[in-house]
Amino acid sequence: MEKNRHAGQIGWRSPSNIAIVKYWGKYGNQLPRNPSISFTLSQAFTETIIRYRTKEDTSGISLDFSFEGQPNDGFKNRIAQFLEKNKEEFGALQQFHLDIESKNSFPHSSGIASSASSMSALALGLCSVENSIADNTLSGTELLKRVSHISRLASGSACRSVYPHLAAWGQLDDIPGSSQDYAVELDGIHPVFHDFHDDILIVSKEEKSVSSSAGHRLMDGNVYAASRYQQAKDRTAILYAALKSGDVEAVGKIAEDEALTLHALMMCSEPSFVLMKPNSLEMISRIKDIRQRKKLPIYFTLDAGPNIHVLYPDAIASQAKEFIDSELIQLCEEGRVIRDRVGHGPEQIQNFSL
Ligand code: DP6
């Protein structure tokens, strides 16, 4: 990376991720109540470019923000609040004005949670700017830990997006190096999961009726909270073992159990939320049915919304496509599907087209 203490630009493309064991419940400054494990995706990503230049007033970070070519005050304020809240983290950046441009590979109103890709792309940019102006540059694992930590402060799930293939966040004895503070790459995973598919079926592109932050807060009053956190710990350990041994069926079972648990927790929160739609349930029933009838390893998961993520190994890609195209696409809003799969993590953007 070229060093320049006064001005420069840096760009990153960072992917979304899909959790198999879900992060749901937090405390303190964005610390998770339970560990989580996710697949890093590849087709759903955010590209963010930061142009920086020194300014006279060094009492705080100043910024401009545009999204998909248009100035966007909503996003700008969210980033400004995040930088202000965590300003002791960003001492070196106070001397700069930041001009940030961002865009997503997926339509903004597709019901896809964009905070994992957007906040990890932002954190990559901020940490790269810091690094390019500092003498003691971080590199390798230490740099990724810092990026993951900063991503976490912006949005919990974003901290898992910075690694290839699979990442774990939250302290767990079975996972070496794991931490509450940042995610780590999961090593020793069976290759069948390195190119696993995740086709995202858009059941509704409406904005979510409850934000993730509000949803996490509802866990504080949930009567099942303590047993849920223990269950997530137990499932994380079982999942890690299944990921290492290549046990697709065990991984698929945990993915489905976790998705249904997440939605059940929301249904029994105070107030309660039902985030699935009739077509989400119909898709779930058709996925279970094809698995039964044709013995195909096709599984589902969901985030905190109605869209269905269809998970399957690359070896059955053509049968899965045929099933999705003939039985599920008609249940999607405007026939929308994002065909995604596990990927290699963030990449630095070399030529800026934003
Ligand atoms: C259901 O990371 O969006 O997707 O930390 O408040 O930004 P904040 O929450 P967020 O929560 C994501 C929750 C989830 C499960 C998961 O990704 O683990």
Side-chain angles (χ1 to χ4, degrees):
M1 194 183 313
E2 194 193 330
K3 272 200 181 181
N4 184 329
R5 287 174 193 284
H6 303 289
Q9 57 183 16
I10 188 99
W12 282 92
R13 173 180 306 135
S14 190
S16 186
N17 67 73
I18 180 70
I20 303 303
V21 172
K22 310 287 183 184
Y23 147 58
W24 200 240
K26 62 180 172 180
Y27 65 97
N29 192 4
Q30 294 281 101
L31 294 162
R33 289 281 185 198
N34 63 260
S36 56
I37 287 185
S38 59
F39 285 123
T40 300
L41 298 176
S42 51
Q43 301 307 308
F45 59 79
T46 300
E47 287 185 343
T48 296
I49 288 174
I50 303 183
R51 297 185 173 87
Y52 60 96
R53 59 175 189 274
T54 42
K55 59 183 170 60
E56 304 220 323
D57 171 12
T58 57
S59 61
I61 299 169
S62 75
L63 72 128
D64 284 310
F65 185 87
S66 64
F67 181 68
E68 307 200 326
Q70 301 294 324
N72 186 311
D73 283 344
F75 289 153
K76 175 182 164 172
N77 293 340
R78 182 171 171 194
I79 294 170
Q81 276 165 17
F82 155 68
L83 294 172
E84 179 58 31
K85 181 177 174 198
N86 297 288
K87 64 174 178 240
E88 72 287 358
E89 293 277 355
F90 300 113
L93 297 182
Q94 316 269 332
Q95 41 181 320
F96 294 101
H97 177 80
L98 307 178
D99 200 352
I100 307 176
E101 284 184 51
S102 194
K103 70 175 182 191
N104 290 339
S105 64
F106 46 93
H108 181 51
S109 57
S110 60
I112 300 288
S114 58
S115 68
S117 57
S118 60
M119 292 303 149
S120 55
L122 177 71
L124 282 155
L126 294 173
C127 294
S128 299
V129 172
E130 254 176 18
N131 229 12
S132 74
I133 56 174
D135 283 332
N136 53 346
T137 40
L138 293 174
S139 62
T141 316
E142 289 310 307
L143 179 59
L144 286 175
K145 275 187 191 169
R146 166 114 183 113
V147 172
S148 181
H149 161 80
I150 296 296
S151 304
R152 187 205 97 220
L153 294 174
S155 176
S157 56
C159 75
R160 299 183 308 237
S161 273
V162 307
Y163 298 102
H165 305 132
L166 281 115
W169 171 36
Q171 212 282 319
L172 198 74
D173 294 342
D174 307 53
I175 300 181
S178 61
S179 167
Q180 294 289 89
D181 192 28
Y182 47 79
V184 292
E185 182 179 351
L186 269 186
D187 288 329
I189 299 302
H190 192 281
V192 70
F193 298 112
H194 284 185
D195 55 3
F196 224 63
H197 288 251
D198 174 8
D199 288 346
I200 309 166
L201 306 187
I202 310 300
V203 171
S204 168
K205 54 189 173 67
E206 274 171 35
E207 291 277 317
K208 291 191 281 187
S209 54
V210 56
S211 71
S212 295
S213 275
H216 288 290
R217 265 198 307 279
L218 288 175
M219 279 305 286
D220 292 339
N222 192 303
V223 291
Y224 300 110
S227 53
R228 158 60 192 162
Y229 301 142
Q230 185 56 47
Q231 175 191 58
K233 277 189 195 140
D234 297 343
R235 283 180 173 165
T236 305
I238 299 168
L239 176 63
Y240 187 33
L243 287 165
K244 287 190 283 194
S245 67
D247 189 340
V248 171
E249 191 181 344
V251 170
K253 177 166 172 24
I254 291 184
E256 294 189 351
D257 291 347
E258 275 289 297
L260 296 175
T261 303
L262 172 71
H263 281 259
L265 288 165
M266 283 184 282
M267 286 188 211
C268 63
S269 294
E270 187 61 58
S272 60
F273 288 94
V274 180
L275 299 181
M276 282 195 244
K277 302 275 186 203
N279 281 0
S280 318
L281 293 168
E282 182 57 31
M283 286 183 188
I284 288 174
S285 129
R286 291 185 189 191
I287 290 167
K288 288 188 168 192
D289 181 62
I290 186 103
R291 202 159 66 224
Q292 186 81 17
R293 271 191 298 118
K294 301 225 170 137
K295 308 285 174 246
L296 286 175
I298 300 181
Y299 300 90
F300 67 85
T301 188
L302 294 89
D303 267 337
N307 300 327
I308 299 288
H309 291 244
V310 186
L311 305 170
Y312 54 90
D314 191 49
I316 63 146
S318 62
Q319 290 119 297
K321 182 172 189 311
E322 196 187 313
F323 161 63
I324 289 166
D325 291 352
S326 64
E327 294 196 44
L328 301 184
I329 273 195
Q330 72 245 43
L331 300 168
C332 295
E333 188 162 5
E334 295 163 5
R336 277 199 196 178
V337 181
I338 297 174
R339 295 184 201 265
D340 214 332
R341 61 199 292 183
V342 172
H344 303 294
E347 279 169 40
Q348 201 167 335
I349 305 170
Q350 302 303 346
N351 71 24
F352 298 157
S353 61
L354 279 179

